[in-house]
Amino acid sequence: MSLAALPPSCRPREKLLERGPAALSDAELLALLLRTGVAGQSVLSLSDALLQRFGGLAGLLRAEPAELARIKGLGPAKRAELLAVLELARRVLQQPLEQRPVLSDADTVEQLLRLRLAPLPYEVFAVLFLDSQLRLIALEELFRGTLNHTAVYPRELAQRALQLGAAAVILAHNHPSGLAEPSQTDRELTHRLSQALSLFDIRVLDHLVVGHQACVSFAARGWL
């Protein structure tokens, strides 16, 4: 059924304006972004199919651009809107970390990293570079690997930290398997990186392992 055939109170836009955005389902919110369906499929049906394919709204918004481009009904305009929504979410989370010490907002750090890293099908090693007041200078993905391995080079990490004038860093990497439990290799790597950066008076404040549903903090476990 097309949106025009629905009673006004059931149409996503009218429903949002009348009852607020929280009243809408994920499919209805997505339909507002997409606006139109494809031949033989309404926008609500398309939205529901996309959510099922990607495992929900979070999975869809985190999908790689190339993957979205293969979906019938997601032309350049629709893909751009979805990518813009994701970038807006990232910036909403990142902006406060640039204005106050990140350690005062650990939940936001975790949300930001999960948004960036959790859905990726390959392993990525990222770093939050912090100034002397522990405010965020930059969040960068420094190394990209395979399904279960990423080569991390202490020299390149130290060089980038010095270029940015970082006084401290928070390390992070994802486990594409979805399980956030750190491995012994993760612990050994963290120790090596801490030693390398200490030569330049750069502190490693934490190392976060990002899974599909949670993050594990080395600092919280007393490993740093």
Side-chain angles (χ1 to χ4, degrees), residues 95-201:
Q95 186 173 0
L97 302 179
E98 298 169 349
Q99 299 170 348
R100 59 177 179 263
V102 298
L103 297 182
S104 67
D105 208 346
D107 287 344
T108 299
V109 172
E110 179 176 328
Q111 291 174 37
L112 178 60
L113 289 172
R114 287 179 61 194
L115 189 65
R116 291 284 294 263
L117 305 181
L120 298 177
Y122 46 81
E123 196 166 291
V124 165
F125 190 91
V127 182
L128 287 83
F129 296 96
L130 313 176
D131 64 16
S132 60
Q133 302 300 313
L134 303 185
R135 295 170 301 199
L136 183 65
I137 299 172
L139 167 57
E140 296 185 357
E141 297 177 9
L142 287 191
F143 308 104
R144 179 177 292 192
T146 61
L147 178 63
N148 55 16
H149 176 71
T150 301
V152 178
Y153 302 99
R155 178 183 297 179
E156 293 184 24
L157 171 56
Q159 183 180 39
R160 186 57 179 152
L162 291 171
Q163 288 174 342
L164 293 171
V169 298
I170 293 176
L171 312 174
H173 78 279
N174 64 314
H175 281 176
S177 67
L179 301 177
E181 187 62 29
S183 66
Q184 183 60 34
T185 300
D186 293 335
R187 296 184 65 175
E188 292 169 357
L189 172 63
T190 304
H191 180 67
R192 292 201 306 272
L193 295 176
S194 296
Q195 286 188 318
L197 291 174
S198 69
L199 298 175
F200 304 96
D201 294 322

